[in-house]
Amino acid sequence: MNAQTEVKPRELSYAEAIREAMDIALSTDDRVILMGEDIGVYGGAFQVTGDLVHRHGEDRVIDTPISELGGAGVAVGAAMTGLKPIFEFQFSDFATLAMEQIVNQAAKVRYMLGGAVSVPVVMRMPAGSGTGAAAQHSQSLEAWFGHVPGLKVVQPSTPEDAKGLLLAALEDPDPVLIFEHKLLYKTRGPVPDGPYTTPIGKAAIRREGRDLTIVATSIMVHKALEAAAQLADDGIEAEIIDLRTIRPMDRETVLDSVRRTGRLLCVYEGVKTLGIGAEISAMVAESDAFDYLDAPILRLGGAESPIPYNPALEKAAIPQVPDILDAARSLATGRT
Amino acid sequence: MNAQTEVKPRELSYAEAIREAMDIALSTDDRVILMGEDIGVYGGAFQVTGDLVHRHGEDRVIDTPISELGGAGVAVGAAMTGLKPIFEFQFSDFATLAMEQIVNQAAKVRYMLGGAVSVPVVMRMPAGSGTGAAAQHSQSLEAWFGHVPGLKVVQPSTPEDAKGLLLAALEDPDPVLIFEHKLLYKTRGPVPDGPYTTPIGKAAIRREGRDLTIVATSIMVHKALEAAAQLADDGIEAEIIDLRTIRPMDRETVLDSVRRTGRLLCVYEGVKTLGIGAEISAMVAESDAFDYLDAPILRLGGAESPIPYNPALEKAAIPQVPDILDAARSLATGRT
Amino acid sequence: MPDASADNIPYAIRAYGPDRLRDALRKMHLIRKFEEGAEDSYMRGLIHGTMHLSIGQEASAVGACMALTDADKITSTHRGHGHCVAKGADVERMFAEFFGKETGYCRGRGGSMHIADVEKGNLGANGIVGGGLPIAVGAALSAKRLGTGAVTVCFFGDGANNEGAFHEALNMAAIWTLPVVFVCENNRYGMSTSTERSTAVKSIADRAAAYSMPGASVDGNDFSAVAEAVDTAVTRARDGNGPSLIESLTYRWRGHSKSDRNRYRSKEEISDWMAQDPIPRMARMLVDHGVLTTAEADALDQDAADEIARAIEAARSQTDPNTMDLLRDVYTGDAA
Amino acid sequence: MPDASADNIPYAIRAYGPDRLRDALRKMHLIRKFEEGAEDSYMRGLIHGTMHLSIGQEASAVGACMALTDADKITSTHRGHGHCVAKGADVERMFAEFFGKETGYCRGRGGSMHIADVEKGNLGANGIVGGGLPIAVGAALSAKRLGTGAVTVCFFGDGANNEGAFHEALNMAAIWTLPVVFVCENNRYGMSTSTERSTAVKSIADRAAAYSMPGASVDGNDFSAVAEAVDTAVTRARDGNGPSLIESLTYRWRGHSKSDRNRYRSKEEISDWMAQDPIPRMARMLVDHGVLTTAEADALDQDAADEIARAIEAARSQTDPNTMDLLRDVYTGDAA
Ligand SMILES: Cc1ncc(C[n+]2csc(CCOP(=O)(O)OP(=O)(O)O)c2C)c(N)n1
Ligand SMILES: Cc1ncc(C[n+]2csc(CCOP(=O)(O)OP(=O)(O)O)c2C)c(N)n1
Ligand SMILES: [Mg+2]
Ligand SMILES: [Mg+2]
C-alpha cells in the first residue's frame, strides 16, 4: 500500500514508529507475535515494545527466557509453520549466540528444501555505540549478515523508514533483519498514519549534490547531512545517499550518483575493515562507474578496536562530523 | 626461528603438515592442549589429529562433547589462565554456535581489561565446499572474523604454510583462527623438518607477472596459478598473490603489485558480497595505488546462494579456472 | 515394559489394528532396504557427499511416528532417512534427492542431510546437531497459537543432548506447556564419543527433571515399547499438558558416516546389538499374536526390496537441475 | 542450615577466627557503601553508561569467597561489584574504572560491566549473561592440568541458568571432574522476568542432578549458610572430586539497571526482602557470639563509608586515557 495518500503532519520518535508498526501488525494479522527478553511488562530494554503486551496480551507479546539461540530458533520454527514472529534481540551483540539459527537455518532452509518452505521471520537488532555500555553492548555487526544469502538486512535511519521497513519486512516471506541504532530511538520525525511500506532494497537520496557522493548508513546519515550543510558553506555540494538496505544493496542508486559526481565517500559505524563501505567501494570499483571516478574511493568506518568504555575513547572509535568534513574536502579538492 | 637452514626435500600432505606442527607443539610445550570433537581415537573428522592422542594422551588431546559454545569458551578460559589450547571446530560452519565466545570474549577481553590478560588460543576451522556436504557444511566464513578487531585470521594454501602458520599462531599471544580448506587436506607439497614459523600478516607472491595482479586466498590460489599458466600461453603474465593472512592484511605487498600491474582481480570462495575481495578492492581503491589502476577492480567470489548439494550446482557456486581466465582476459585486454 | 511373549499382550497389539501393524512392519523393512540401497548406491558412486545410516534403529523411527497424523510435525536429524520413511515419504523422491535430481524432495539442493517432506509434516533432517530442537518448539508454538491440535515429535541423538540448544529448547517447551515430544535416540555414541565420555548423567531421560517434564527410557529396538511411550507423550501433549522427553535406547550397526573406521567400539559390541535386530523382533511379535503369518511377514521383506530396487532405477534416470537455476529459491519468488 | 541463635553455634563462627569474620563484615559494609557511592556518582553524572547494583546480595558475594585465596579464580557477572570487592579489589581503582580513568582496573576501557582484578584472581565481570560459565570451566581445566590446586568459583544469575552455556559448561565440568564451583545467585528475576516465568524447575539447585553433581540451595542472605555451602564445595573441588552447584537465594533491592521502572514486582515484595538485610544479620551474629561489640560493628560501617568517600575523591581527579591510545591493547604488544 502507499502512504502518500494518507500522510498527516505528525511526528513520532523512532521507537514510537517501530511500536506503531508492530501495533498495526498485531492488530491486523493474527499470525504476528512478538518474542524477546523483557519485551512484556518491562516494555523492552529500550522501551520499544512499550505497552504492547497490555494491548495484545502475553500470548502474543512473549517474554522469553535468556536463551538467544533457542529463542531465535523457536521463532524460525514458528515462522516455518504459520506464524510471523518478530524477534527482538535485546542488543544485537547477543545475536552472536544465535548465528547458528539465523545463518544455518533461517537463511538456508528454503534453499536446502528446494523451495518447500519460507521463513517469514523478522529480527530486530538494537545496535551501535554511544551509550557507554562498552565492547559487548556496542557492536555494529550488520556486515556479517549482509554476507549471508537468504537473509535481507535493513538499517532505517528515520522514524518514517523504521515503521515502513518493519511493515515491509512483515510482508516479506523471507527472513529480514532490522538493525536499529540505539541512539536513534529517541530521535523524532514525521511518520505517516496507518499502514504503509518502505521498499526493501531501495536507497534514498537525502540531499542532492554535484561534487561528491556520500553513502552513509543508519546514524551516519545524520552526521553526513550535518557535514553536508557545512560543506555547502564552502561551496561543496555533497549528495547524501541513505543506503537503508544492506542486502540486497541498491546498486543503481549508488552507481548513478557516482557517475554524476565522480567522487565517493562511504561512512559507516561498523569496523572499517570488511564493513559495509568495503562492499560499496568494491561494487563501484568493479562497475562502469569506475570510469567516472576522479579520485580514490574513501571510507570512514569504525576503528580497528573493540568499543571502549571511556566516553572520549568511545567517540574517537567511530566517525564524527569533523572526520566527514576532512574526508569530503580532501576528496572534493582532489585531482579531477 | 628460520627454516631455510634446515630444509630437507620432503613432501607431506596439508593434513600431515598440520599434524606435525601440533605434534611439535605438544612435544615442546606442556601448556599446549588440543580440544575438539572426535579428535582422539577417531583422529578427527578429516584425520588431521590422527594418532596424536596415542602419542600425547587423552589429557592433552581432549574429545569434547558436542558443545561448540562451551568447548570454545573452555578453550578461551584455559588460554586466559596458562594453557595454549588448539581448538578444532569439526567444520567451521559450527563456529556459528560459538561466535559469542570467539567475538565477545576471546577477541575483546584483553582490550576490555586494559591489557591485563592475553588469550593465546588457536582455533582450527575446516572450511569450504566441494565435498557434497551441502549448505550447512560448506561455508567459507573467514570474512566475518576478518571484521573483528582482536582476532588474527590466516588461510594457508600450502602444506608448508599450514605448518608454519600454525606454529606462528602458537607463538602469538592473541587469538588466531586458521581456516583450512577441506579439499586441501590431501594435497601434498614440500614441508621443512622441525619447527619454523610462517609470518602472520605477510602475503606471498606465488608467481610474478607484469600484466595484472590476482590476489587469491586458500584453494583459489591453486586455481589462479592454473589459470596463470594458461594465460602465459596467450602472453598474459599474471602476478599471483597468496594473501595467506586475512587479518591483519598485508597492504604493502598488494599495493606494490597493483602499482606495477595497474590491474587487479580478487578471487575467493566465500560469498562475493562482503567477502574478502571487497576489502582488498576497497583497500586498493582508497590508496595511492588507485592512480595506477588502468581498469576496474574485478572480483570473483562465491555465488549469492547457500552451497547446493548437487555436484554440478555446487561447482557452479564457486569460482572455477575458466571464470578466472575470462576475468583475467577481460582485464588484461581492457583499456590502458 | 511389555514383552512379546504370548501370555502377555504387548501394547502395540492392544493399541493398533492389524493393518497399522502390518504397515509398521512394512515401513521397518522399507527403511532397512532403503538404507542398504543407499549404501550400495554410494559404493557405486551414484551418491555425492556423505550419509548417515540408521540401520538397526528402525523400531525407534517407526514406533515414534505411530501416534502421528500428516498434520503432526517431526523435526529430524542428519540420521534421518528412517524418520522420513516412517512419516510417510515416497522412497523414489528420496532417492531422487540423493542422486541430486530436480525431482527429489529438495530439488537436489539438499541431499541426505536436508531431506524433508513438508506435506507429510517432516520439517526436515538437519546438518546441525541439535539444530532441530528449537525449531520443533517453534512448530509446537504455532500449533498452540493457531489451535491446530498438531503435535511435534523432535528427534535428536545422545550427542545432541549436550548442546546448549537442548537445554534452551526443553526449558521453553516446558514453561510454555507446548505440544512437543522430545525423542532422544540414544545409540550410545555421538560419532566416536560414547555417552559415558560425553554425558554427565547415566540416563538422558533423567534430564527431564531439570525441566519438570516426564522422562522415560525405553528399549528402542522394541517397537511396542517405543510406540507406547510416544503414544502416551503425544496424548499428553494433545491434551494440553505439555512436553515429554523419551530416551529410545538403540544402536547403529554401521559407522557414523562413510568415513568411520569404528576404532571406538568393539566387534563384539556390534554383533551383540545386531542380535537385537528390531525387525525380526517386530515380525515375531506380529506372528506370535496372529497378526501375520510368517509367510506374510517374509513377503513384506521381499516387497520392500522390490520397491527400493524400482525406486533406485526410476530415480537414477530423472532429470538433473539446470545450473542456470543456481539462485532459484534463495529467496521466495526466485523460482526460475 | 545453621541459624544465628546463641544456642547453636553457626558454621561461620566455628570455621573462622575473629579477624576473618571482622574482615568479612567489613567487606559487606564496603560493598554496600561502594554501591551507594556508585549510584550517587551516577546520579551526579560522574559515571557513563549503566550499572547493575548488588545491594542486598552482599552476604552471597562475601560468603562465597571465604574459601578462596588469591590463587583461586572467580568469574563474575554484569552485577559484579560485590564479587570484585569480596575477592580483594581496591575500591579506589574500581571507582577510577567507573570514572573511565587510565588508573582504573581496565584503564577506563571496560567500565562497570568488565571490571576485573586479575592479580587477585578475578577474571572479570562479563557483559554477556552466561559468558563466564565456560570461561570458569576453562580456568578449572588449567588448574587441573597445571596442578596449581586452584579452584574457580563461577558466579552467575538465575536468568543465566537458562542459557545453553550453563548446560554445556556444567556438563563438561562434571565429565572432566574439574575444580569449579558454580554459584547461582538467584535473586528471583532476570531483569523483569521471574524464575517462575523463565525457569521450568522449582529450585535451580535441582538442575545439578542433570550433571550428576551435588546441588544445594541456601539462604543467600545468611553469610554463614553461603560460606558453609561454598567451603564444602571448594574442599570437594580441591580434593579432586569435581564440581558442585550452589543456589544462593537472595534479592536485589535496586532495579535491574538504571533504566528499570520496577513494573514487574511489588513494593511489598521489595520491603519484605529489605527486612532481610544480610548486613545487620551478619553483624548480629558476630555480636551474639562475642566476635565484636556493637560499637566495633558500627565502626566498620563508618570506616567503610569513609573509605568509599576517600576513594571517590581520589579517583575523580586521576588522569583520563589519551585518545591517541585508542588502539592500545587490541593486540598484545600494542602498548603505546
Ligand atoms: C553443531 C554440530 N556439531 C558437530 C557436528 C558433526 N556431527 C555430525 S553428527 C555428529 C554426532 C551426533 O551424535 P548423535 O547426536 O548421538 O547422533 P547420531 O549420529 O548418533 O545419530 C557430529 C559430531 C554437526 N553436524 N553439528
Ligand atoms: C546473552 C545476554 N542476553 C541478555 C543480556 C541482557 N541482560 C543483562 S543482565 C540480564 C538479566 C540477567 O539476569 P540474572 O542472570 O538473573 O542476573 P541478575 O541481573 O539478576 O543479577 C539481561 C537479560 C545480556 N547482557 N547478555
Ligand atoms: Mg548417537
Ligand atoms: Mg537474577
PDB file of all heavy atoms in Angstrom, chain C residues 161-162 164 167-168 171 197-198 200 207 210-212, chain D residues 161-162 164 167-168 171 175 197-198 200 207 210-212:
ATOM      1  N   ASN C 161      22.242 -34.119  22.950  1.00  0.00           N
ATOM      2  CA  ASN C 161      21.721 -33.727  24.274  1.00  0.00           C
ATOM      3  C   ASN C 161      22.727 -32.899  25.075  1.00  0.00           C
ATOM      4  O   ASN C 161      22.377 -32.334  26.113  1.00  0.00           O
ATOM      5  CB  ASN C 161      21.207 -34.960  25.039  1.00  0.00           C
ATOM      6  CG  ASN C 161      22.117 -35.433  26.147  1.00  0.00           C
ATOM      7  OD1 ASN C 161      21.897 -35.147  27.316  1.00  0.00           O
ATOM      8  ND2 ASN C 161      23.175 -36.161  25.775  1.00  0.00           N
ATOM      9  N   ASN C 162      23.949 -32.772  24.596  1.00  0.00           N
ATOM     10  CA  ASN C 162      24.919 -31.916  25.277  1.00  0.00           C
ATOM     11  C   ASN C 162      25.062 -30.531  24.637  1.00  0.00           C
ATOM     12  O   ASN C 162      25.875 -29.719  25.089  1.00  0.00           O
ATOM     13  CB  ASN C 162      26.282 -32.607  25.344  1.00  0.00           C
ATOM     14  CG  ASN C 162      26.205 -33.852  26.210  1.00  0.00           C
ATOM     15  OD1 ASN C 162      25.629 -33.819  27.293  1.00  0.00           O
ATOM     16  ND2 ASN C 162      26.727 -34.958  25.695  1.00  0.00           N
ATOM     17  N   GLY C 164      23.817 -26.751  23.922  1.00  0.00           N
ATOM     18  CA  GLY C 164      23.016 -25.760  24.634  1.00  0.00           C
ATOM     19  C   GLY C 164      21.597 -25.673  24.097  1.00  0.00           C
ATOM     20  O   GLY C 164      20.658 -25.395  24.846  1.00  0.00           O
ATOM     21  N   HIS C 167      19.046 -27.688  26.048  1.00  0.00           N
ATOM     22  CA  HIS C 167      18.655 -27.063  27.319  1.00  0.00           C
ATOM     23  C   HIS C 167      17.652 -25.937  27.091  1.00  0.00           C
ATOM     24  O   HIS C 167      16.593 -25.882  27.729  1.00  0.00           O
ATOM     25  CB  HIS C 167      19.929 -26.534  27.985  1.00  0.00           C
ATOM     26  CG  HIS C 167      19.753 -25.845  29.291  1.00  0.00           C
ATOM     27  ND1 HIS C 167      19.259 -26.485  30.410  1.00  0.00           N
ATOM     28  CD2 HIS C 167      20.021 -24.565  29.677  1.00  0.00           C
ATOM     29  CE1 HIS C 167      19.252 -25.622  31.424  1.00  0.00           C
ATOM     30  NE2 HIS C 167      19.697 -24.452  31.002  1.00  0.00           N
ATOM     31  N   GLU C 168      17.969 -25.070  26.176  1.00  0.00           N
ATOM     32  CA  GLU C 168      17.099 -23.920  25.929  1.00  0.00           C
ATOM     33  C   GLU C 168      15.744 -24.362  25.378  1.00  0.00           C
ATOM     34  O   GLU C 168      14.695 -23.840  25.761  1.00  0.00           O
ATOM     35  CB  GLU C 168      17.800 -22.939  24.985  1.00  0.00           C
ATOM     36  CG  GLU C 168      19.083 -22.359  25.589  1.00  0.00           C
ATOM     37  CD  GLU C 168      19.758 -21.303  24.707  1.00  0.00           C
ATOM     38  OE1 GLU C 168      19.206 -20.933  23.658  1.00  0.00           O
ATOM     39  OE2 GLU C 168      20.856 -20.844  25.096  1.00  0.00           O
ATOM     40  N   ASN C 171      13.605 -26.216  28.073  1.00  0.00           N
ATOM     41  CA  ASN C 171      13.118 -25.261  29.078  1.00  0.00           C
ATOM     42  C   ASN C 171      11.941 -24.447  28.550  1.00  0.00           C
ATOM     43  O   ASN C 171      10.919 -24.300  29.219  1.00  0.00           O
ATOM     44  CB  ASN C 171      14.260 -24.337  29.506  1.00  0.00           C
ATOM     45  CG  ASN C 171      13.874 -23.402  30.636  1.00  0.00           C
ATOM     46  OD1 ASN C 171      13.517 -23.844  31.731  1.00  0.00           O
ATOM     47  ND2 ASN C 171      13.899 -22.109  30.360  1.00  0.00           N
ATOM     48  N   ARG C 197      31.564 -40.925  28.031  1.00  0.00           N
ATOM     49  CA  ARG C 197      32.620 -39.913  27.962  1.00  0.00           C
ATOM     50  C   ARG C 197      32.078 -38.510  27.719  1.00  0.00           C
ATOM     51  O   ARG C 197      32.778 -37.531  27.963  1.00  0.00           O
ATOM     52  CB  ARG C 197      33.633 -40.296  26.879  1.00  0.00           C
ATOM     53  CG  ARG C 197      34.386 -41.597  27.226  1.00  0.00           C
ATOM     54  CD  ARG C 197      35.303 -42.034  26.074  1.00  0.00           C
ATOM     55  NE  ARG C 197      36.279 -41.005  25.775  1.00  0.00           N
ATOM     56  CZ  ARG C 197      36.501 -40.502  24.559  1.00  0.00           C
ATOM     57  NH1 ARG C 197      35.798 -40.928  23.528  1.00  0.00           N
ATOM     58  NH2 ARG C 197      37.423 -39.578  24.372  1.00  0.00           N
ATOM     59  N   SER C 198      30.841 -38.408  27.240  1.00  0.00           N
ATOM     60  CA  SER C 198      30.339 -37.086  26.842  1.00  0.00           C
ATOM     61  C   SER C 198      29.240 -36.532  27.738  1.00  0.00           C
ATOM     62  O   SER C 198      28.999 -35.323  27.735  1.00  0.00           O
ATOM     63  CB  SER C 198      29.777 -37.156  25.420  1.00  0.00           C
ATOM     64  OG  SER C 198      28.595 -37.957  25.406  1.00  0.00           O
ATOM     65  N   ALA C 200      27.193 -36.267  31.430  1.00  0.00           N
ATOM     66  CA  ALA C 200      27.403 -36.387  32.877  1.00  0.00           C
ATOM     67  C   ALA C 200      26.210 -36.985  33.616  1.00  0.00           C
ATOM     68  O   ALA C 200      26.046 -36.747  34.808  1.00  0.00           O
ATOM     69  CB  ALA C 200      27.745 -35.018  33.449  1.00  0.00           C
ATOM     70  N   ARG C 207      17.390 -36.217  32.580  1.00  0.00           N
ATOM     71  CA  ARG C 207      17.488 -34.759  32.399  1.00  0.00           C
ATOM     72  C   ARG C 207      16.111 -34.111  32.299  1.00  0.00           C
ATOM     73  O   ARG C 207      15.981 -32.894  32.440  1.00  0.00           O
ATOM     74  CB  ARG C 207      18.372 -34.427  31.194  1.00  0.00           C
ATOM     75  CG  ARG C 207      19.843 -34.659  31.507  1.00  0.00           C
ATOM     76  CD  ARG C 207      20.821 -34.183  30.443  1.00  0.00           C
ATOM     77  NE  ARG C 207      22.180 -34.128  31.038  1.00  0.00           N
ATOM     78  CZ  ARG C 207      23.297 -33.963  30.344  1.00  0.00           C
ATOM     79  NH1 ARG C 207      23.257 -33.836  29.031  1.00  0.00           N
ATOM     80  NH2 ARG C 207      24.468 -33.918  30.969  1.00  0.00           N
ATOM     81  N   ALA C 210      15.079 -31.706  35.057  1.00  0.00           N
ATOM     82  CA  ALA C 210      15.578 -30.325  35.059  1.00  0.00           C
ATOM     83  C   ALA C 210      14.590 -29.380  34.382  1.00  0.00           C
ATOM     84  O   ALA C 210      14.759 -28.157  34.432  1.00  0.00           O
ATOM     85  CB  ALA C 210      16.932 -30.262  34.363  1.00  0.00           C
ATOM     86  N   TYR C 211      13.579 -29.957  33.743  1.00  0.00           N
ATOM     87  CA  TYR C 211      12.566 -29.153  33.051  1.00  0.00           C
ATOM     88  C   TYR C 211      11.163 -29.530  33.534  1.00  0.00           C
ATOM     89  O   TYR C 211      10.167 -29.217  32.876  1.00  0.00           O
ATOM     90  CB  TYR C 211      12.707 -29.341  31.530  1.00  0.00           C
ATOM     91  CG  TYR C 211      14.157 -29.222  31.111  1.00  0.00           C
ATOM     92  CD1 TYR C 211      14.923 -30.357  30.853  1.00  0.00           C
ATOM     93  CD2 TYR C 211      14.785 -27.976  31.074  1.00  0.00           C
ATOM     94  CE1 TYR C 211      16.276 -30.249  30.540  1.00  0.00           C
ATOM     95  CE2 TYR C 211      16.137 -27.859  30.770  1.00  0.00           C
ATOM     96  CZ  TYR C 211      16.869 -29.008  30.497  1.00  0.00           C
ATOM     97  OH  TYR C 211      18.217 -28.900  30.207  1.00  0.00           O
ATOM     98  N   SER C 212      11.102 -30.208  34.649  1.00  0.00           N
ATOM     99  CA  SER C 212       9.821 -30.631  35.223  1.00  0.00           C
ATOM    100  C   SER C 212       8.908 -31.280  34.197  1.00  0.00           C
ATOM    101  O   SER C 212       7.703 -31.032  34.188  1.00  0.00           O
ATOM    102  CB  SER C 212       9.101 -29.422  35.857  1.00  0.00           C
ATOM    103  OG  SER C 212       9.953 -28.773  36.760  1.00  0.00           O
TER     104      SER C 212
ATOM    105  N   ASN D 161      20.897 -19.192  34.092  1.00  0.00           N
ATOM    106  CA  ASN D 161      20.775 -20.657  34.147  1.00  0.00           C
ATOM    107  C   ASN D 161      19.929 -21.206  32.996  1.00  0.00           C
ATOM    108  O   ASN D 161      19.893 -22.417  32.781  1.00  0.00           O
ATOM    109  CB  ASN D 161      20.278 -21.103  35.530  1.00  0.00           C
ATOM    110  CG  ASN D 161      18.840 -21.540  35.561  1.00  0.00           C
ATOM    111  OD1 ASN D 161      18.538 -22.731  35.521  1.00  0.00           O
ATOM    112  ND2 ASN D 161      17.936 -20.568  35.598  1.00  0.00           N
ATOM    113  N   ASN D 162      19.303 -20.340  32.222  1.00  0.00           N
ATOM    114  CA  ASN D 162      18.563 -20.814  31.045  1.00  0.00           C
ATOM    115  C   ASN D 162      19.338 -20.662  29.748  1.00  0.00           C
ATOM    116  O   ASN D 162      18.824 -20.993  28.671  1.00  0.00           O
ATOM    117  CB  ASN D 162      17.213 -20.101  30.964  1.00  0.00           C
ATOM    118  CG  ASN D 162      16.333 -20.474  32.135  1.00  0.00           C
ATOM    119  OD1 ASN D 162      16.240 -21.648  32.504  1.00  0.00           O
ATOM    120  ND2 ASN D 162      15.732 -19.477  32.761  1.00  0.00           N
ATOM    121  N   GLY D 164      22.165 -21.771  27.085  1.00  0.00           N
ATOM    122  CA  GLY D 164      22.810 -23.021  26.698  1.00  0.00           C
ATOM    123  C   GLY D 164      24.197 -23.161  27.306  1.00  0.00           C
ATOM    124  O   GLY D 164      24.641 -24.278  27.607  1.00  0.00           O
ATOM    125  N   HIS D 167      24.323 -25.193  30.484  1.00  0.00           N
ATOM    126  CA  HIS D 167      24.228 -26.645  30.266  1.00  0.00           C
ATOM    127  C   HIS D 167      25.565 -27.217  29.785  1.00  0.00           C
ATOM    128  O   HIS D 167      26.074 -28.203  30.331  1.00  0.00           O
ATOM    129  CB  HIS D 167      23.140 -26.875  29.222  1.00  0.00           C
ATOM    130  CG  HIS D 167      22.887 -28.294  28.836  1.00  0.00           C
ATOM    131  ND1 HIS D 167      22.428 -29.243  29.715  1.00  0.00           N
ATOM    132  CD2 HIS D 167      23.008 -28.919  27.634  1.00  0.00           C
ATOM    133  CE1 HIS D 167      22.268 -30.390  29.074  1.00  0.00           C
ATOM    134  NE2 HIS D 167      22.618 -30.233  27.815  1.00  0.00           N
ATOM    135  N   GLU D 168      26.144 -26.597  28.815  1.00  0.00           N
ATOM    136  CA  GLU D 168      27.388 -27.111  28.244  1.00  0.00           C
ATOM    137  C   GLU D 168      28.524 -27.039  29.258  1.00  0.00           C
ATOM    138  O   GLU D 168      29.339 -27.962  29.376  1.00  0.00           O
ATOM    139  CB  GLU D 168      27.727 -26.339  26.971  1.00  0.00           C
ATOM    140  CG  GLU D 168      26.668 -26.520  25.877  1.00  0.00           C
ATOM    141  CD  GLU D 168      27.031 -25.844  24.560  1.00  0.00           C
ATOM    142  OE1 GLU D 168      28.149 -25.292  24.422  1.00  0.00           O
ATOM    143  OE2 GLU D 168      26.180 -25.867  23.635  1.00  0.00           O
ATOM    144  N   ASN D 171      28.033 -29.606  32.157  1.00  0.00           N
ATOM    145  CA  ASN D 171      28.272 -30.968  31.678  1.00  0.00           C
ATOM    146  C   ASN D 171      29.769 -31.256  31.533  1.00  0.00           C
ATOM    147  O   ASN D 171      30.263 -32.285  31.995  1.00  0.00           O
ATOM    148  CB  ASN D 171      27.551 -31.174  30.342  1.00  0.00           C
ATOM    149  CG  ASN D 171      27.650 -32.609  29.853  1.00  0.00           C
ATOM    150  OD1 ASN D 171      27.197 -33.542  30.507  1.00  0.00           O
ATOM    151  ND2 ASN D 171      28.292 -32.792  28.705  1.00  0.00           N
ATOM    152  N   ILE D 175      31.988 -34.094  33.528  1.00  0.00           N
ATOM    153  CA  ILE D 175      32.616 -35.284  32.916  1.00  0.00           C
ATOM    154  C   ILE D 175      34.132 -35.245  33.099  1.00  0.00           C
ATOM    155  O   ILE D 175      34.771 -36.296  33.147  1.00  0.00           O
ATOM    156  CB  ILE D 175      32.254 -35.435  31.417  1.00  0.00           C
ATOM    157  CG1 ILE D 175      32.661 -34.221  30.599  1.00  0.00           C
ATOM    158  CG2 ILE D 175      30.773 -35.736  31.257  1.00  0.00           C
ATOM    159  CD1 ILE D 175      32.424 -34.397  29.093  1.00  0.00           C
ATOM    160  N   ARG D 197       8.462 -17.582  35.606  1.00  0.00           N
ATOM    161  CA  ARG D 197       8.108 -17.429  34.201  1.00  0.00           C
ATOM    162  C   ARG D 197       9.206 -17.888  33.257  1.00  0.00           C
ATOM    163  O   ARG D 197       8.944 -18.111  32.069  1.00  0.00           O
ATOM    164  CB  ARG D 197       7.727 -15.974  33.914  1.00  0.00           C
ATOM    165  CG  ARG D 197       6.448 -15.550  34.665  1.00  0.00           C
ATOM    166  CD  ARG D 197       6.153 -14.061  34.490  1.00  0.00           C
ATOM    167  NE  ARG D 197       5.960 -13.717  33.088  1.00  0.00           N
ATOM    168  CZ  ARG D 197       6.633 -12.750  32.452  1.00  0.00           C
ATOM    169  NH1 ARG D 197       7.552 -12.037  33.089  1.00  0.00           N
ATOM    170  NH2 ARG D 197       6.399 -12.505  31.182  1.00  0.00           N
ATOM    171  N   SER D 198      10.438 -18.022  33.746  1.00  0.00           N
ATOM    172  CA  SER D 198      11.554 -18.309  32.837  1.00  0.00           C
ATOM    173  C   SER D 198      12.155 -19.693  33.003  1.00  0.00           C
ATOM    174  O   SER D 198      12.842 -20.180  32.108  1.00  0.00           O
ATOM    175  CB  SER D 198      12.683 -17.291  33.077  1.00  0.00           C
ATOM    176  OG  SER D 198      13.261 -17.500  34.361  1.00  0.00           O
ATOM    177  N   ALA D 200      11.937 -23.742  34.143  1.00  0.00           N
ATOM    178  CA  ALA D 200      10.999 -24.868  34.260  1.00  0.00           C
ATOM    179  C   ALA D 200      11.293 -25.796  35.433  1.00  0.00           C
ATOM    180  O   ALA D 200      10.924 -26.964  35.406  1.00  0.00           O
ATOM    181  CB  ALA D 200      11.006 -25.667  32.957  1.00  0.00           C
ATOM    182  N   ARG D 207      18.849 -28.716  39.177  1.00  0.00           N
ATOM    183  CA  ARG D 207      19.446 -28.994  37.868  1.00  0.00           C
ATOM    184  C   ARG D 207      20.813 -29.667  38.008  1.00  0.00           C
ATOM    185  O   ARG D 207      21.337 -30.232  37.048  1.00  0.00           O
ATOM    186  CB  ARG D 207      19.518 -27.718  37.020  1.00  0.00           C
ATOM    187  CG  ARG D 207      18.145 -27.317  36.513  1.00  0.00           C
ATOM    188  CD  ARG D 207      18.135 -26.168  35.520  1.00  0.00           C
ATOM    189  NE  ARG D 207      16.837 -26.145  34.821  1.00  0.00           N
ATOM    190  CZ  ARG D 207      16.396 -25.149  34.062  1.00  0.00           C
ATOM    191  NH1 ARG D 207      17.148 -24.069  33.861  1.00  0.00           N
ATOM    192  NH2 ARG D 207      15.219 -25.216  33.466  1.00  0.00           N
ATOM    193  N   ALA D 210      21.153 -33.214  36.710  1.00  0.00           N
ATOM    194  CA  ALA D 210      21.324 -33.467  35.276  1.00  0.00           C
ATOM    195  C   ALA D 210      22.800 -33.599  34.914  1.00  0.00           C
ATOM    196  O   ALA D 210      23.139 -33.984  33.786  1.00  0.00           O
ATOM    197  CB  ALA D 210      20.677 -32.344  34.469  1.00  0.00           C
ATOM    198  N   TYR D 211      23.668 -33.266  35.856  1.00  0.00           N
ATOM    199  CA  TYR D 211      25.116 -33.344  35.632  1.00  0.00           C
ATOM    200  C   TYR D 211      25.785 -34.195  36.707  1.00  0.00           C
ATOM    201  O   TYR D 211      27.007 -34.125  36.890  1.00  0.00           O
ATOM    202  CB  TYR D 211      25.704 -31.920  35.592  1.00  0.00           C
ATOM    203  CG  TYR D 211      24.857 -31.015  34.715  1.00  0.00           C
ATOM    204  CD1 TYR D 211      23.950 -30.123  35.279  1.00  0.00           C
ATOM    205  CD2 TYR D 211      24.893 -31.138  33.330  1.00  0.00           C
ATOM    206  CE1 TYR D 211      23.120 -29.343  34.488  1.00  0.00           C
ATOM    207  CE2 TYR D 211      24.067 -30.358  32.525  1.00  0.00           C
ATOM    208  CZ  TYR D 211      23.189 -29.469  33.111  1.00  0.00           C
ATOM    209  OH  TYR D 211      22.358 -28.716  32.321  1.00  0.00           O
ATOM    210  N   SER D 212      24.981 -34.957  37.412  1.00  0.00           N
ATOM    211  CA  SER D 212      25.492 -35.825  38.479  1.00  0.00           C
ATOM    212  C   SER D 212      26.443 -35.096  39.409  1.00  0.00           C
ATOM    213  O   SER D 212      27.483 -35.652  39.798  1.00  0.00           O
ATOM    214  CB  SER D 212      26.203 -37.040  37.858  1.00  0.00           C
ATOM    215  OG  SER D 212      25.361 -37.697  36.934  1.00  0.00           O
TER     216      SER D 212
END
